[in-house]
Amino acid sequence: MNFDAAQLRYNEAGLVPVVAQDHRSGEVLMLAWMNRGAVERTLASGRVTYWSRSRQAYWVKGETSGHVQKLVELRVDCDADALLVLVEQEGPACHTNRRSCFYSAVQGGEVVEIMAPMA
Amino acid sequence: MNFDAAQLRYNEAGLVPVVAQDHRSGEVLMLAWMNRGAVERTLASGRVTYWSRSRQAYWVKGETSGHVQKLVELRVDCDADALLVLVEQEGPACHTNRRSCFYSAVQGGEVVEIMAPMA
């Protein structure tokens, strides 16, 4: 079956949530959003491209920071309303300079930082 | 810092997206949603509990299927609008009986099924 980005089930803002995962380590790096154009650009360029909800613009991950995500594989979930991108992540994925955006864990009712910024 | 589920940044429907990941294999199992009550119930019970958008009700994962998710750790992302739950998954996470909901990959413009239902 041909993949058609128009067939995904976008929310009322025209977006789907996208989980980015390091294709080697399996680490979950971040969650961001794509619209149909971002899905198509990601597949065509091999550079993971999100839709920035704050800027209302395409966001080629790493375009300014250099922390690019090279697409290894794009996967679709069972009801076609969420995506998983396996990526080769250059440097930190998080704007706080941490490898992953999920660096805060809830442990015993406390928020604990489990990951330091990269050098 | 004490964790307070009220401090998360919920969307206009009062929900945050939640990525469930197998705590041993690192496999991303599914993406679902929680409201504040679901976050609190998950932490209090140790059983991952989502908010079903279709049923508009709490959804204790595996309550009917037996395919429960035991919470290992809950993590919050840098801008507090997405969660990652590391889980011990009993059986398949997907209602199609596959281990993960992300069983379809886009390869060469085609949608390819990369995971079979569990026996």
Side-chain angles (χ1 to χ4, degrees):
Chain A
M1 187 175 70
N2 279 328
F3 175 74
D4 179 358
Q7 302 293 314
L8 296 174
R9 290 171 59 206
Y10 300 95
N11 69 12
E12 60 292 332
L15 303 174
V16 283
V18 183
V19 181
Q21 182 180 32
D22 185 297
H23 79 111
R24 275 199 209 87
S25 68
E27 188 174 18
V28 172
L29 301 171
M30 58 188 283
L31 185 143
W33 298 80
M34 288 187 190
N35 60 9
R36 177 182 167 179
V39 175
E40 290 169 343
R41 285 169 182 232
T42 295
L43 287 169
S45 68
R47 289 273 298 270
V48 179
T49 303
Y50 301 103
W51 179 257
S52 167
R53 295 176 302 168
S54 54
R55 291 188 293 109
Q56 289 286 304
Y58 289 110
W59 165 29
V60 181
K61 174 70 182 160
E63 196 169 39
T64 53
S65 66
H67 303 144
V68 299
Q69 291 181 341
K70 189 178 159 197
L71 181 69
V72 175
E73 190 166 82
L74 185 142
R75 296 185 187 165
V76 184
D77 83 342
C78 51
D79 45 11
D81 65 359
L83 300 177
L84 173 66
V85 285
L86 302 184
V87 304
E88 198 172 301
Q89 171 70 52
E90 188 68 40
C94 186
H95 73 288
T96 67
N97 221 38
R98 291 172 177 87
R99 180 73 181 165
S100 164
C101 293
F102 294 96
Y103 58 81
S104 299
V106 180
Q107 295 176 350
E110 298 281 313
V111 180
V112 178
E113 211 174 288
I114 56 170
M115 208 176 297
M118 293 175 80
Chain B
M1 186 178 68
N2 279 328
F3 174 75
D4 179 359
Q7 302 293 316
L8 297 174
R9 290 171 59 206
Y10 300 95
N11 69 11
E12 60 292 332
L15 303 174
V16 282
V18 183
V19 182
Q21 182 180 33
D22 184 298
H23 80 111
R24 275 198 209 87
S25 68
E27 189 174 17
V28 172
L29 300 171
M30 57 188 283
L31 185 144
W33 298 80
M34 288 186 189
N35 60 9
R36 176 182 169 180
V39 175
E40 291 170 343
R41 285 168 183 233
T42 295
L43 287 169
S45 67
R47 289 274 298 271
V48 179
T49 302
Y50 301 102
W51 179 258
S52 168
R53 295 176 301 167
S54 53
R55 290 189 292 110
Q56 289 286 304
Y58 289 109
W59 166 29
V60 181
K61 174 71 181 160
E63 197 169 37
T64 53
S65 66
H67 302 143
V68 300
Q69 291 181 340
K70 189 178 159 196
L71 181 69
V72 175
E73 190 166 83
L74 185 142
R75 296 185 186 165
V76 184
D77 84 343
C78 51
D79 46 12
D81 65 359
L83 300 176
L84 173 66
V85 285
L86 303 183
V87 304
E88 198 172 303
Q89 171 72 51
E90 187 68 39
C94 186
H95 73 287
T96 67
N97 222 40
R98 290 172 178 86
R99 180 72 180 167
S100 163
C101 294
F102 293 96
Y103 58 81
S104 299
V106 180
Q107 295 177 350
E110 299 280 314
V111 180
V112 178
E113 212 174 287
I114 56 170
M115 208 176 296
M118 293 175 81

